Short mmCIF file of all heavy atoms in Angstrom, two decimals:
data_model
loop_
_atom_site.label_atom_id
_atom_site.label_comp_id
_atom_site.label_asym_id
_atom_site.label_seq_id
_atom_site.Cartn_x
_atom_site.Cartn_y
_atom_site.Cartn_z
N MET A 1 -86.61 27.68 -43.99
CA MET A 1 -87.02 28.09 -42.64
C MET A 1 -88.53 28.09 -42.46
O MET A 1 -89.03 27.79 -41.37
CB MET A 1 -86.44 29.45 -42.30
CG MET A 1 -84.97 29.40 -41.90
SD MET A 1 -84.62 28.28 -40.51
CE MET A 1 -85.58 29.04 -39.21
N ASP A 2 -89.28 28.42 -43.50
CA ASP A 2 -90.74 28.37 -43.37
C ASP A 2 -91.21 26.95 -43.08
O ASP A 2 -92.07 26.72 -42.22
CB ASP A 2 -91.42 28.90 -44.63
CG ASP A 2 -91.32 30.41 -44.76
OD1 ASP A 2 -90.97 31.07 -43.76
OD2 ASP A 2 -91.58 30.93 -45.87
N ALA A 3 -90.63 25.99 -43.79
CA ALA A 3 -90.98 24.59 -43.57
C ALA A 3 -90.55 24.15 -42.17
O ALA A 3 -91.27 23.41 -41.48
CB ALA A 3 -90.33 23.70 -44.62
N PHE A 4 -89.38 24.60 -41.74
CA PHE A 4 -88.92 24.27 -40.39
C PHE A 4 -89.86 24.83 -39.34
O PHE A 4 -90.27 24.13 -38.41
CB PHE A 4 -87.50 24.80 -40.16
CG PHE A 4 -87.03 24.62 -38.74
CD1 PHE A 4 -86.53 23.40 -38.31
CD2 PHE A 4 -87.11 25.67 -37.83
CE1 PHE A 4 -86.11 23.23 -37.00
CE2 PHE A 4 -86.69 25.51 -36.51
CZ PHE A 4 -86.19 24.28 -36.10
N ASN A 5 -90.24 26.09 -39.49
CA ASN A 5 -91.12 26.73 -38.51
C ASN A 5 -92.49 26.06 -38.44
O ASN A 5 -93.16 26.11 -37.41
CB ASN A 5 -91.28 28.21 -38.83
CG ASN A 5 -90.01 29.01 -38.54
OD1 ASN A 5 -89.25 28.66 -37.63
ND2 ASN A 5 -89.77 30.05 -39.31
N ALA A 6 -92.88 25.42 -39.53
CA ALA A 6 -94.18 24.73 -39.54
C ALA A 6 -94.09 23.33 -38.94
O ALA A 6 -95.12 22.71 -38.67
CB ALA A 6 -94.69 24.63 -40.99
N ASN A 7 -92.86 22.85 -38.68
CA ASN A 7 -92.71 21.46 -38.24
C ASN A 7 -91.94 21.28 -36.93
O ASN A 7 -91.95 20.18 -36.38
CB ASN A 7 -91.99 20.65 -39.33
CG ASN A 7 -92.88 20.32 -40.50
OD1 ASN A 7 -93.60 19.32 -40.50
ND2 ASN A 7 -92.84 21.16 -41.52
N TYR A 8 -91.31 22.34 -36.43
CA TYR A 8 -90.55 22.14 -35.19
C TYR A 8 -91.50 22.06 -34.01
O TYR A 8 -92.70 22.36 -34.12
CB TYR A 8 -89.50 23.23 -35.02
CG TYR A 8 -89.96 24.50 -34.34
CD1 TYR A 8 -89.65 24.74 -33.00
CD2 TYR A 8 -90.69 25.47 -35.03
CE1 TYR A 8 -90.07 25.91 -32.37
CE2 TYR A 8 -91.10 26.63 -34.41
CZ TYR A 8 -90.79 26.85 -33.08
OH TYR A 8 -91.21 28.01 -32.46
N ARG A 9 -90.99 21.63 -32.86
CA ARG A 9 -91.83 21.37 -31.69
C ARG A 9 -91.56 22.41 -30.61
O ARG A 9 -90.61 22.27 -29.83
CB ARG A 9 -91.57 19.96 -31.16
CG ARG A 9 -91.97 18.85 -32.14
CD ARG A 9 -91.52 17.50 -31.63
NE ARG A 9 -91.95 17.29 -30.25
CZ ARG A 9 -91.23 16.69 -29.32
NH1 ARG A 9 -90.02 16.24 -29.60
NH2 ARG A 9 -91.69 16.54 -28.10
N PRO A 10 -92.38 23.47 -30.53
CA PRO A 10 -92.18 24.49 -29.49
C PRO A 10 -92.22 23.85 -28.10
O PRO A 10 -93.11 23.06 -27.79
CB PRO A 10 -93.36 25.44 -29.70
CG PRO A 10 -93.74 25.25 -31.13
CD PRO A 10 -93.51 23.79 -31.42
N GLY A 11 -91.25 24.20 -27.29
CA GLY A 11 -91.20 23.68 -25.93
C GLY A 11 -90.44 22.39 -25.76
O GLY A 11 -90.11 22.00 -24.64
N ALA A 12 -90.14 21.72 -26.87
CA ALA A 12 -89.43 20.44 -26.78
C ALA A 12 -87.98 20.61 -26.34
O ALA A 12 -87.33 19.64 -25.96
CB ALA A 12 -89.48 19.70 -28.12
N ASP A 13 -87.48 21.85 -26.39
CA ASP A 13 -86.12 22.10 -25.94
C ASP A 13 -86.04 22.32 -24.43
O ASP A 13 -84.94 22.45 -23.87
CB ASP A 13 -85.54 23.32 -26.66
CG ASP A 13 -86.38 24.57 -26.47
OD1 ASP A 13 -87.60 24.44 -26.24
OD2 ASP A 13 -85.82 25.68 -26.55
N LYS A 14 -87.20 22.36 -23.76
CA LYS A 14 -87.20 22.59 -22.32
C LYS A 14 -86.60 21.39 -21.59
O LYS A 14 -86.95 20.24 -21.85
CB LYS A 14 -88.62 22.86 -21.83
CG LYS A 14 -89.27 24.10 -22.44
CD LYS A 14 -88.52 25.36 -22.05
CE LYS A 14 -89.14 26.61 -22.66
NZ LYS A 14 -90.50 26.85 -22.19
N LEU A 15 -85.72 21.70 -20.66
CA LEU A 15 -84.92 20.67 -20.01
C LEU A 15 -85.21 20.60 -18.52
O LEU A 15 -85.42 21.61 -17.87
CB LEU A 15 -83.44 20.99 -20.22
CG LEU A 15 -82.40 20.14 -19.51
CD1 LEU A 15 -82.40 18.73 -20.09
CD2 LEU A 15 -81.03 20.78 -19.64
N ARG A 16 -85.23 19.37 -18.01
CA ARG A 16 -85.23 19.17 -16.57
C ARG A 16 -83.99 18.38 -16.20
O ARG A 16 -83.76 17.29 -16.73
CB ARG A 16 -86.48 18.41 -16.11
CG ARG A 16 -87.69 19.34 -15.95
CD ARG A 16 -88.94 18.60 -15.55
NE ARG A 16 -89.97 19.56 -15.15
CZ ARG A 16 -91.28 19.28 -15.11
NH1 ARG A 16 -91.70 18.07 -15.44
NH2 ARG A 16 -92.14 20.20 -14.73
N VAL A 17 -83.17 18.93 -15.33
CA VAL A 17 -82.02 18.23 -14.79
C VAL A 17 -82.42 17.64 -13.45
O VAL A 17 -82.95 18.36 -12.59
CB VAL A 17 -80.81 19.18 -14.62
CG1 VAL A 17 -79.63 18.44 -14.00
CG2 VAL A 17 -80.42 19.80 -15.95
N VAL A 18 -82.21 16.34 -13.30
CA VAL A 18 -82.66 15.65 -12.08
C VAL A 18 -81.52 14.80 -11.53
O VAL A 18 -80.57 14.47 -12.24
CB VAL A 18 -83.90 14.77 -12.35
CG1 VAL A 18 -85.01 15.57 -13.01
CG2 VAL A 18 -83.54 13.57 -13.22
N ASP A 19 -81.66 14.45 -10.25
CA ASP A 19 -80.69 13.54 -9.67
C ASP A 19 -81.11 12.10 -9.95
O ASP A 19 -82.12 11.85 -10.61
CB ASP A 19 -80.50 13.81 -8.18
CG ASP A 19 -81.76 13.55 -7.35
OD1 ASP A 19 -82.68 12.82 -7.82
OD2 ASP A 19 -81.82 14.04 -6.21
N LYS A 20 -80.35 11.16 -9.45
CA LYS A 20 -80.60 9.75 -9.76
C LYS A 20 -81.91 9.23 -9.18
O LYS A 20 -82.40 8.17 -9.59
CB LYS A 20 -79.44 8.88 -9.28
CG LYS A 20 -79.20 8.90 -7.78
CD LYS A 20 -77.94 8.13 -7.43
CE LYS A 20 -77.69 8.13 -5.93
NZ LYS A 20 -76.43 7.41 -5.59
N HIS A 21 -82.50 10.00 -8.26
CA HIS A 21 -83.78 9.61 -7.67
C HIS A 21 -84.96 10.30 -8.35
O HIS A 21 -86.11 10.11 -7.93
CB HIS A 21 -83.78 9.93 -6.18
CG HIS A 21 -82.67 9.28 -5.43
ND1 HIS A 21 -82.52 7.92 -5.35
CD2 HIS A 21 -81.62 9.83 -4.74
CE1 HIS A 21 -81.44 7.64 -4.63
NE2 HIS A 21 -80.88 8.77 -4.26
N GLY A 22 -84.67 11.09 -9.38
CA GLY A 22 -85.74 11.78 -10.10
C GLY A 22 -86.14 13.11 -9.49
O GLY A 22 -87.12 13.72 -9.92
N ASN A 23 -85.38 13.60 -8.54
CA ASN A 23 -85.67 14.90 -7.93
C ASN A 23 -85.16 16.01 -8.85
O ASN A 23 -83.99 16.00 -9.28
CB ASN A 23 -84.99 15.02 -6.56
CG ASN A 23 -85.47 13.97 -5.60
OD1 ASN A 23 -86.67 13.76 -5.42
ND2 ASN A 23 -84.53 13.27 -4.96
N ILE A 24 -86.01 16.97 -9.15
CA ILE A 24 -85.66 18.05 -10.07
C ILE A 24 -84.74 19.05 -9.38
O ILE A 24 -85.06 19.57 -8.31
CB ILE A 24 -86.93 18.77 -10.58
CG1 ILE A 24 -87.82 17.78 -11.34
CG2 ILE A 24 -86.55 19.94 -11.47
CD1 ILE A 24 -89.19 18.35 -11.73
N VAL A 25 -83.59 19.31 -10.01
CA VAL A 25 -82.67 20.30 -9.47
C VAL A 25 -82.55 21.53 -10.38
O VAL A 25 -82.04 22.56 -9.96
CB VAL A 25 -81.27 19.69 -9.23
CG1 VAL A 25 -81.34 18.61 -8.17
CG2 VAL A 25 -80.67 19.14 -10.51
N LEU A 26 -83.00 21.42 -11.61
CA LEU A 26 -83.07 22.56 -12.52
C LEU A 26 -84.24 22.32 -13.47
O LEU A 26 -84.36 21.23 -14.04
CB LEU A 26 -81.77 22.72 -13.29
CG LEU A 26 -81.65 23.93 -14.23
CD1 LEU A 26 -80.20 24.43 -14.28
CD2 LEU A 26 -82.12 23.61 -15.66
N ASP A 27 -85.08 23.33 -13.64
CA ASP A 27 -86.30 23.16 -14.44
C ASP A 27 -86.48 24.34 -15.37
O ASP A 27 -86.62 25.49 -14.93
CB ASP A 27 -87.51 23.04 -13.50
CG ASP A 27 -88.76 22.56 -14.21
OD1 ASP A 27 -88.75 22.48 -15.46
OD2 ASP A 27 -89.74 22.24 -13.52
N GLU A 28 -86.45 24.07 -16.67
CA GLU A 28 -86.66 25.12 -17.67
C GLU A 28 -88.12 25.28 -18.07
O GLU A 28 -88.43 26.05 -18.97
CB GLU A 28 -85.83 24.83 -18.93
CG GLU A 28 -84.34 25.03 -18.74
CD GLU A 28 -83.60 24.97 -20.05
OE1 GLU A 28 -84.10 24.38 -21.01
OE2 GLU A 28 -82.50 25.54 -20.11
N HIS A 29 -89.01 24.56 -17.40
CA HIS A 29 -90.43 24.63 -17.77
C HIS A 29 -91.16 25.76 -17.06
O HIS A 29 -92.37 25.78 -17.04
CB HIS A 29 -91.11 23.29 -17.46
CG HIS A 29 -90.69 22.18 -18.36
ND1 HIS A 29 -91.37 21.82 -19.49
CD2 HIS A 29 -89.61 21.35 -18.30
CE1 HIS A 29 -90.76 20.81 -20.08
NE2 HIS A 29 -89.69 20.50 -19.38
N GLY A 30 -90.42 26.68 -16.49
CA GLY A 30 -91.03 27.79 -15.77
C GLY A 30 -91.67 28.81 -16.68
O GLY A 30 -91.56 28.75 -17.91
N ALA A 31 -92.28 29.79 -16.08
CA ALA A 31 -93.05 30.80 -16.82
C ALA A 31 -92.16 31.70 -17.67
O ALA A 31 -92.63 32.31 -18.63
CB ALA A 31 -93.86 31.66 -15.86
N ASP A 32 -90.84 31.78 -17.33
CA ASP A 32 -89.99 32.69 -18.09
C ASP A 32 -89.66 32.18 -19.47
O ASP A 32 -89.13 32.90 -20.31
CB ASP A 32 -88.69 32.96 -17.32
CG ASP A 32 -87.82 31.71 -17.16
OD1 ASP A 32 -88.29 30.62 -17.53
OD2 ASP A 32 -86.69 31.85 -16.65
N GLY A 33 -89.99 30.92 -19.72
CA GLY A 33 -89.77 30.35 -21.05
C GLY A 33 -88.35 29.96 -21.34
O GLY A 33 -88.03 29.47 -22.40
N GLY A 34 -87.46 30.17 -20.37
CA GLY A 34 -86.06 29.77 -20.58
C GLY A 34 -85.29 30.80 -21.37
O GLY A 34 -85.86 31.63 -22.08
N SER A 35 -83.99 30.78 -21.25
CA SER A 35 -83.16 31.79 -21.90
C SER A 35 -82.39 31.25 -23.10
O SER A 35 -81.57 31.94 -23.66
CB SER A 35 -82.15 32.34 -20.87
OG SER A 35 -81.35 31.29 -20.35
N TYR A 36 -82.66 29.99 -23.47
CA TYR A 36 -81.92 29.37 -24.55
C TYR A 36 -82.81 29.19 -25.77
O TYR A 36 -83.98 28.84 -25.65
CB TYR A 36 -81.35 28.02 -24.12
CG TYR A 36 -80.37 28.13 -22.97
CD1 TYR A 36 -80.81 28.07 -21.66
CD2 TYR A 36 -79.02 28.32 -23.22
CE1 TYR A 36 -79.91 28.20 -20.60
CE2 TYR A 36 -78.12 28.44 -22.18
CZ TYR A 36 -78.57 28.38 -20.88
OH TYR A 36 -77.69 28.50 -19.84
N ASN A 37 -82.24 29.43 -26.94
CA ASN A 37 -82.97 29.22 -28.17
C ASN A 37 -82.43 27.97 -28.85
O ASN A 37 -81.45 28.01 -29.56
CB ASN A 37 -82.83 30.43 -29.10
CG ASN A 37 -83.61 30.24 -30.39
OD1 ASN A 37 -84.59 29.50 -30.43
ND2 ASN A 37 -83.19 30.90 -31.44
N ARG A 38 -83.08 26.83 -28.58
CA ARG A 38 -82.64 25.56 -29.14
C ARG A 38 -83.86 24.86 -29.75
O ARG A 38 -84.31 23.83 -29.24
CB ARG A 38 -82.02 24.68 -28.05
CG ARG A 38 -80.91 25.31 -27.25
CD ARG A 38 -80.30 24.29 -26.28
NE ARG A 38 -81.30 23.76 -25.36
CZ ARG A 38 -81.52 24.24 -24.14
NH1 ARG A 38 -80.83 25.27 -23.70
NH2 ARG A 38 -82.43 23.70 -23.36
N PRO A 39 -84.43 25.39 -30.81
CA PRO A 39 -85.65 24.80 -31.36
C PRO A 39 -85.43 23.35 -31.77
O PRO A 39 -84.47 23.03 -32.46
CB PRO A 39 -85.97 25.68 -32.57
CG PRO A 39 -84.70 26.38 -32.90
CD PRO A 39 -83.97 26.54 -31.61
N GLU A 40 -86.33 22.50 -31.34
CA GLU A 40 -86.22 21.05 -31.56
C GLU A 40 -87.13 20.60 -32.69
O GLU A 40 -88.27 21.08 -32.83
CB GLU A 40 -86.61 20.30 -30.29
CG GLU A 40 -85.72 20.58 -29.09
CD GLU A 40 -84.67 19.51 -28.88
OE1 GLU A 40 -84.76 18.46 -29.54
OE2 GLU A 40 -83.78 19.73 -28.05
N ILE A 41 -86.62 19.66 -33.47
CA ILE A 41 -87.43 19.04 -34.51
C ILE A 41 -87.09 17.56 -34.53
O ILE A 41 -85.93 17.18 -34.35
CB ILE A 41 -87.19 19.69 -35.89
CG1 ILE A 41 -88.17 19.15 -36.93
CG2 ILE A 41 -85.74 19.53 -36.34
CD1 ILE A 41 -88.16 19.94 -38.24
N ASP A 42 -88.09 16.72 -34.71
CA ASP A 42 -87.83 15.29 -34.80
C ASP A 42 -87.09 14.99 -36.11
O ASP A 42 -87.24 15.69 -37.11
CB ASP A 42 -89.15 14.50 -34.77
CG ASP A 42 -89.78 14.47 -33.39
OD1 ASP A 42 -89.10 14.90 -32.43
OD2 ASP A 42 -90.94 14.04 -33.26
N ARG A 43 -86.31 13.92 -36.08
CA ARG A 43 -85.51 13.58 -37.24
C ARG A 43 -86.36 13.28 -38.47
O ARG A 43 -85.99 13.62 -39.60
CB ARG A 43 -84.62 12.37 -36.92
CG ARG A 43 -83.56 12.67 -35.87
CD ARG A 43 -82.85 11.42 -35.39
NE ARG A 43 -81.93 11.71 -34.31
CZ ARG A 43 -80.63 11.96 -34.47
NH1 ARG A 43 -80.11 11.92 -35.69
NH2 ARG A 43 -79.86 12.22 -33.43
N GLY A 44 -87.50 12.62 -38.26
CA GLY A 44 -88.37 12.27 -39.38
C GLY A 44 -88.87 13.49 -40.13
O GLY A 44 -88.72 13.59 -41.37
N PRO A 45 -89.49 14.45 -39.43
CA PRO A 45 -89.95 15.66 -40.12
C PRO A 45 -88.83 16.46 -40.77
O PRO A 45 -89.02 17.02 -41.86
CB PRO A 45 -90.61 16.47 -38.99
CG PRO A 45 -91.11 15.42 -38.03
CD PRO A 45 -90.05 14.35 -38.07
N LEU A 46 -87.65 16.52 -40.13
CA LEU A 46 -86.54 17.24 -40.75
C LEU A 46 -86.14 16.56 -42.05
O LEU A 46 -85.90 17.21 -43.07
CB LEU A 46 -85.35 17.30 -39.80
CG LEU A 46 -84.09 17.98 -40.37
CD1 LEU A 46 -84.37 19.42 -40.77
CD2 LEU A 46 -82.93 17.92 -39.37
#
């Protein structure tokens, strides 16, 4: 876990749901930081 915490990408789990025209209908990039804990790491570093 120490190695993971040193290599994961904070904020990379933030999601934008958009329609086919690129209009945002749900945005997790707000100030609340989102309610989901899905820490992301690239396959190479893992």
Side-chain angles (χ1 to χ4, degrees):
M1 282 304 298
D2 286 346
F4 174 81
N5 289 329
N7 285 274
Y8 86 102
R9 296 173 51 219
D13 58 333
K14 298 297 179 64
L15 174 68
R16 278 178 169 160
V17 178
V18 307
D19 64 19
K20 62 186 180 181
H21 303 298
N23 299 310
I24 299 172
V25 296
L26 184 147
D27 193 350
E28 288 190 337
H29 290 266
D32 65 353
S35 58
Y36 298 90
N37 181 25
R38 306 185 302 265
E40 298 261 350
I41 187 169
D42 287 350
R43 293 170 185 266
L46 177 60

